[in-house]
């Protein structure tokens, strides 16, 4: 549990009372066990109520938690024999994206994902999870290799967005992202994409074109951050909470809009509370996706992928419904 979340105050307050009572019980002969059990039962009920009714902005905060599990954490939990590959064979290696070959339940796969750091030193090394063009070109190289050797591709999405710096633009950031979208649309092997934290802008989408797209319950997926949207719409980034509510960026919202396939439940309190338990939930959904997609012939796989994206596009604007099916 993190003290930085305001919505957790009722939980923290009650936990504090339980801790005080336990401390008192250890210094006296009076039996407080019944009182402690009652408060702990109440705590569980409050936790359930709080985490089941989070506002969109609350979920944004959880998605950004500094100790939220990263791609490498899930690779360690879900895969065996992981062999990391480096470099795009054009410019260099981008530490903001990790990728390589592994086995998932005995099945050879290619795993690719955004990678942010967990402390200042690692965040600087990994550019806070914001890839340069060489990161996306490395990802594409691994995807094409997977296609050559008929390995399914599994992508973990967790980035604020592609790095917008001068050097990135000079090396073709937009082209690298666009190329990934184009190539992933026609890749002849199954692609499963999972948003595990923030899924921001084209930087996320460059690893997000797949047959199945899943999201962790407290992750977000959006064309722009709530702060960025608020700056554009209301000229005030402080309106980020209002923007988060209107942008439909949460997993539940996107499931209702048929943009994602499954919402993966998170452990109570958020994925950062237990990477191992969260990996078990991901494993359950991932196994279902793998079984379904591996049963499809190439042409059926590509046709289904095409129709998945072809039918996205219903939205309500000023009371009118527009459909691009």
């Amino acid at each position: 549990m993190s003290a930085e979340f305001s919505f957790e105050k009722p939980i923290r307050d009650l936990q504090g009372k339980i801790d005080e009572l336990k401390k008192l019980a250890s210094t006296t002969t009076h039996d407080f066990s019944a009182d402690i059990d009652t408060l702990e039962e109440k705590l569980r009920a409050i936790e359930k109520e709080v985490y089941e009714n989070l506002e969109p902005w609350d979920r944004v905060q959880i998605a950004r938690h500094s100790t939220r599990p990263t791609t490498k954490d899930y690779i360690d939990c879900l895969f065996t024999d992981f062999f990391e590959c480096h470099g795009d064979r054009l410019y260099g290696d981008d530490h903001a994206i990790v990728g390589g070959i592994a086995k998932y339940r005995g099945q050879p796969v290619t795993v690719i994902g955004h990678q942010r750091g967990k402390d200042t030193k690692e965040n600087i090394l990994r550019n806070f999870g914001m890839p340069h063009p060489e990161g996306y070109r490395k990802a594409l190289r691994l995807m094409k290799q997977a296609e050559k050797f008929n390995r399914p591709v599994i992508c973990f999405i967790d980035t604020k967005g592609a790095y917008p710096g001068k050097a990135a633009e000079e090396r073709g950031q937009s082209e690298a992202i666009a190329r990934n979208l184009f190539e992933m649309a026609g890749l002849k092997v199954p692609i499963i994409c999972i948003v595990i934290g923030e899924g921001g802008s084209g930087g996320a989408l460059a690893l997000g074109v797949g047959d199945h797209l899943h999201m962790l319950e407290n992750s977000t997926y959006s064309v722009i951050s709530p702060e960025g949207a608020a700056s554009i719409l209301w000229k005030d980034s402080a309106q980020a909470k209002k923007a988060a509510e209107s942008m439909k960026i949460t997993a539940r919202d996107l499931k209702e809009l048929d943009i994602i396939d499954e919402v993966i439940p998170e452990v109570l309190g958020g994925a950062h509370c237990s990477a191992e338990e969260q990996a078990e939930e991901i494993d359950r959904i991932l196994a279902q996706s793998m079984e379904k997609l591996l049963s499809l012939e190439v042409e059926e796989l590509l046709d289904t992928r095409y129709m998945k994206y072809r039918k996205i596009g219903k939205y309500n604007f000023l009371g009118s419904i527009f459909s691009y099916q």
Side-chain angles (χ1 to χ4, degrees):
M1 183 164 49
S2 172
E4 66 191 82
F5 298 146
S6 60
F7 59 83
E8 289 183 324
K9 187 177 185 303
I11 299 173
R12 292 196 299 272
D13 290 345
L14 187 54
Q15 184 64 62
K17 292 179 181 178
I18 293 172
D19 292 341
E20 287 178 9
L21 201 56
K22 286 181 177 179
K23 184 177 179 180
L24 181 61
S26 67
T27 59
T28 67
T29 58
H30 188 78
D31 185 9
F32 291 102
S33 58
D35 299 302
I36 292 172
D37 289 343
T38 300
L39 289 177
E40 287 182 336
E41 184 177 347
K42 184 179 180 181
L43 177 64
R44 288 191 291 270
I46 290 177
E47 285 179 330
K48 189 173 186 295
E49 181 180 0
V50 166
Y51 291 118
E52 285 183 353
N53 297 282
L54 292 174
E55 298 295 325
W57 182 245
D58 298 330
R59 297 189 189 278
V60 170
Q61 300 307 303
I62 295 177
R64 293 173 175 175
H65 196 284
S66 60
T67 61
R68 191 170 175 84
T70 66
T71 293
K72 293 192 75 174
D73 291 323
Y74 290 127
I75 288 175
D76 292 340
C77 292
L78 293 167
F79 304 95
T80 58
D81 303 320
F82 177 66
F83 178 81
E84 186 174 355
C85 301
H86 298 274
D88 66 343
R89 302 300 187 266
L90 290 170
Y91 178 81
D93 189 36
D94 187 348
H95 297 290
I97 284 187
V98 298
I101 305 163
K103 285 186 178 179
Y104 175 70
R105 298 191 174 192
Q107 167 74 44
V109 297
T110 291
V111 187
I112 304 166
H114 300 97
Q115 181 65 33
R116 53 181 176 77
K118 292 190 175 181
D119 54 37
T120 302
K121 182 178 180 181
E122 190 181 7
N123 267 320
I124 292 172
L125 172 68
R126 300 194 182 279
N127 201 36
F128 296 85
M130 296 186 291
H132 287 75
E134 51 269 26
Y136 294 116
R137 289 173 180 140
K138 173 170 68 173
L140 180 58
R141 179 175 75 83
L142 295 178
M143 291 179 203
K144 298 302 286 185
Q145 182 194 73
E147 183 179 52
K148 179 179 180 180
F149 293 101
N150 197 33
R151 291 192 299 263
V153 175
I154 300 167
C155 294
F156 292 101
I157 298 169
D158 185 16
T159 183
K160 296 179 184 295
Y163 185 61
K166 181 174 181 288
E169 296 299 335
E170 288 174 341
R171 295 198 293 273
Q173 185 72 287
S174 298
E175 188 278 336
I177 292 172
R179 176 63 60 181
N180 276 27
L181 305 186
F182 177 83
E183 295 289 353
M184 291 182 79
L187 209 67
K188 296 179 181 178
V189 291
I191 308 172
I192 302 169
C193 307
I194 304 172
V195 184
I196 60 174
E198 284 187 276
S201 195
L205 194 60
L207 295 186
V209 179
D211 302 290
H212 287 175
L213 173 61
H214 309 307
M215 288 180 67
L216 296 194
E217 184 180 4
N218 293 317
S219 60
T220 61
Y221 198 43
S222 174
V223 68
I224 194 172
S225 69
E227 292 89 344
S231 296
I232 293 171
L233 295 174
W234 301 295
K235 311 301 181 186
D236 182 10
S237 61
Q239 298 291 324
K241 181 177 180 179
K242 178 180 177 182
E245 293 171 356
S246 64
M247 290 167 65
K248 305 297 182 184
I249 63 176
T250 68
R252 291 180 183 178
D253 289 331
L254 295 169
K255 175 63 177 174
E256 289 179 6
L257 293 169
D258 290 327
I259 292 174
I260 68 168
D261 295 278
E262 294 289 343
V263 177
I264 303 176
E266 291 197 24
V267 298
L268 194 64
H272 57 279
C273 294
S274 176
E276 292 78 13
E277 289 183 44
Q278 190 59 59
E280 291 177 6
E281 289 292 335
I282 294 175
D283 183 43
R284 180 175 59 84
I285 299 298
L286 184 55
Q288 293 173 4
S289 283
M290 287 283 284
E291 182 180 6
K292 183 174 182 179
L293 295 174
L294 287 172
S295 68
L296 302 179
E297 297 295 331
V298 173
E299 289 303 318
E300 186 179 3
L301 182 76
L302 294 176
D303 288 345
T304 304
R305 188 185 303 160
Y306 171 79
M307 290 307 302
K308 172 184 174 63
Y309 290 94
R310 184 69 179 84
K311 69 182 182 181
I312 292 175
K314 285 186 176 181
Y315 65 94
N316 186 293
F317 182 68
L318 297 181
S320 299
I321 298 295
F322 297 87
S323 175
Y324 296 101
Q325 292 189 16

